[in-house]
Amino acid sequence: MDQAPRITTDLTEVIVELKKGNLVAVPTETVYGLAADATQVVAVSKVFKLKGRPIDHPLIVHCGSAEYAWKCVTGVNATAESLASAFWPGALTMVLNRSDLISDVITAGQDSVAVRVPDHPLTLQLLKELQRPLVAPSANRFGRVSPTQADHVQEEFPNQSLLILDGGPCKIGIESTIVDCRQADSVKILRPGKITEEQIKQVLNFGHTINDTTNSDDLRVSGNLPAHYAPSARVHLASKNDLVEFLEHHGFDHGPVMVISTSDKPLHLKNNIVWQRVSSQPEEFAQKLYALFREADRQGFPYLVVELPVREGLGIAICDRLQRAAHSSNIN
Ligand code: TXA
Ligand code: MG
């Protein structure tokens, strides 16, 4: 019999499925996650298998409250507590030392665990009713674009009997900020996101150091592989000032190109250049970005050219994702 994913809004059905040790895709404010009961090792293993994710890439543990998250870790320090009260529920993932509740399968054998309290009403309610933590990586095949709507998850796993909890389009649209909080006096940003370095600095005391290690390779953060978050189209990036010149010179003679830009299409550009105008507000840009990647693939565009936002605030995280999406497509 053919298998296919099924979309639901029924929390009771979702809870039964998770307790049985099956996977369910759940909405969060960032992107959809592929969730399993974190207390069932076999269920957690299914996440790696379905995503095609290497087993040495650890998973984020999602909890219904900070109190619950602290049960998953040991050595909670004042830094972690301040960040939790400022940003949870929200798009901040904290890496701390793990407690005995957390298995090796989740952490890929590391002593640390990544925890967060997601800010989505349905998933928060689910976590509270379930009374267990959920592991949830983004609900896409490994290395591909994270889903920001329920139908994106369907597209990712068309032949699986996977239940998808529909919570509408994700508000933020790119993955959470990940910070290493194991040292009380210094915080390392492992993956940039909606919660920025400036916002984190405002919460912490003077005297803390904040290191942006998003380009270092001493910790295993799979979202930090140089090539990630990639659509099938070859992605090229250009600054706002260079975009038109880039399009004029490249020509794109081998196929049509989709352009994502904050400006209007100049009239003299060829017809094979299809324009998607987006807001210059980084919040709106981030929220639509992955859906536009998917649209380019759905329409079969071999090329996608994206205007890089200004590298400040949320723009830093958007540039990070765009650079990873473009990594294997460099042309000259
Ligand atoms: O917004 C998000 O974070 C989404 C939603 C579903 O919550 N989740 C997400 O999960 O992006 P995933 O698995 O696609 O990315 C999680 C990242 C990976 O790069 C993983 O390597 C890193 O978190 N990570 C997990 N545990 C870690 C740990 N103990 N130390 C360092 N990095 C860790
Ligand atoms: Mg991911």
Side-chain angles (χ1 to χ4, degrees):
M1 202 179 78
D2 283 350
Q3 297 195 317
R6 193 163 59 80
I7 294 181
T8 184
T9 50
D10 181 356
L11 274 189
T12 314
E13 185 181 20
V14 168
I15 289 172
V16 170
E17 196 72 359
L18 288 166
K19 283 191 175 165
K20 273 200 260 172
N22 290 330
L23 307 184
V24 177
V26 298
T28 81
E29 78 283 35
T30 58
V31 300
Y32 274 72
L34 187 62
D37 178 347
T39 66
Q40 298 186 48
V41 175
V42 175
V44 175
S45 314
K46 290 182 187 171
V47 173
F48 289 90
K49 194 153 172 253
L50 185 58
K51 266 189 74 104
R53 180 177 176 122
I55 55 164
D56 61 351
H57 289 292
L59 303 175
I60 298 177
V61 175
H62 296 67
C63 299
S65 65
E67 293 66 40
Y68 209 106
W70 299 155
K71 291 186 192 172
C72 302
V73 305
T74 54
V76 181
N77 51 45
T79 301
E81 275 174 346
S82 311
L83 292 174
S85 52
F87 299 118
W88 281 355
L92 185 78
T93 297
M94 286 195 247
V95 172
L96 286 154
N97 288 318
R98 67 163 156 158
S99 75
D100 294 342
L101 267 184
I102 301 299
S103 72
D104 271 338
V105 191
I106 296 174
T107 68
Q110 300 185 95
D111 294 332
S112 62
V113 62
V115 286
R116 89 174 184 100
V117 179
D119 187 16
H120 189 289
L122 263 188
T123 298
L124 270 181
Q125 198 187 333
L126 167 66
L127 286 161
K128 284 177 182 156
E129 287 184 25
L130 190 65
Q131 283 293 305
R132 295 177 198 182
L134 290 173
V135 289
S138 52
N140 51 278
R141 287 163 295 143
F142 183 67
R144 312 298 304 182
V145 179
S146 299
T148 55
Q149 298 172 193
D151 60 316
H152 295 171
V153 184
Q154 246 174 342
E155 267 170 31
E156 284 290 312
F157 304 107
N159 304 315
Q160 299 294 326
S161 61
L162 174 71
L163 197 58
I164 304 169
L165 178 62
D166 191 352
C170 301
K171 271 188 314 200
I172 294 178
I174 60 170
E175 306 77 4
S176 62
T177 307
I178 304 181
V179 288
D180 182 351
C181 295
R182 286 173 297 170
Q183 308 293 327
D185 56 353
S186 88
V187 169
K188 288 185 192 150
I189 300 178
L190 304 178
R191 179 175 72 182
K194 173 73 167 45
I195 293 170
T196 61
E197 183 177 339
E198 291 72 41
Q199 285 175 286
I200 293 171
K201 267 187 188 149
Q202 278 171 12
V203 171
L204 299 179
N205 297 328
F206 223 49
H208 273 86
T209 47
I210 303 199
N211 298 316
D212 184 340
T213 63
T214 46
N215 290 317
S216 85
D217 51 13
D218 61 337
L219 266 149
R220 281 185 255 141
V221 183
S222 69
N224 276 357
L225 294 175
H228 215 80
Y229 313 108
S232 303
R234 288 173 66 131
V235 179
H236 307 296
L237 308 175
S239 68
K240 190 174 172 70
N241 290 338
D242 297 342
L243 180 68
V244 174
E245 204 188 325
F246 175 80
L247 292 166
E248 285 165 352
H249 280 96
H250 190 272
F252 293 100
D253 296 326
H254 303 297
V257 51
M258 182 191 272
V259 178
I260 302 177
S261 167
T262 59
S263 311
D264 282 327
K265 180 179 178 182
L267 292 173
H268 70 279
L269 287 178
K270 291 195 226 163
N271 285 340
N272 69 338
I273 299 180
V274 176
W275 213 262
Q276 289 280 351
R277 170 120 195 232
V278 288
S279 164
S280 53
Q281 293 297 316
E283 285 73 18
E284 282 182 48
F285 194 137
Q287 205 260 335
K288 297 214 163 62
L289 182 65
Y290 289 160
L292 287 170
F293 276 10
R294 283 176 186 276
E295 189 56 33
D297 281 351
R298 204 173 297 126
Q299 293 188 35
F301 282 96
Y303 302 108
L304 180 60
V305 176
V306 191
E307 178 187 307
L308 279 164
V310 180
R311 201 180 273 276
E312 61 185 26
L314 177 57
I316 294 174
I318 301 173
C319 288
D320 169 80
R321 303 308 190 274
L322 288 175
Q323 266 147 357
R324 291 178 206 287
H327 183 75
S328 48
S329 322
N330 291 325
I331 49 158
N332 295 300

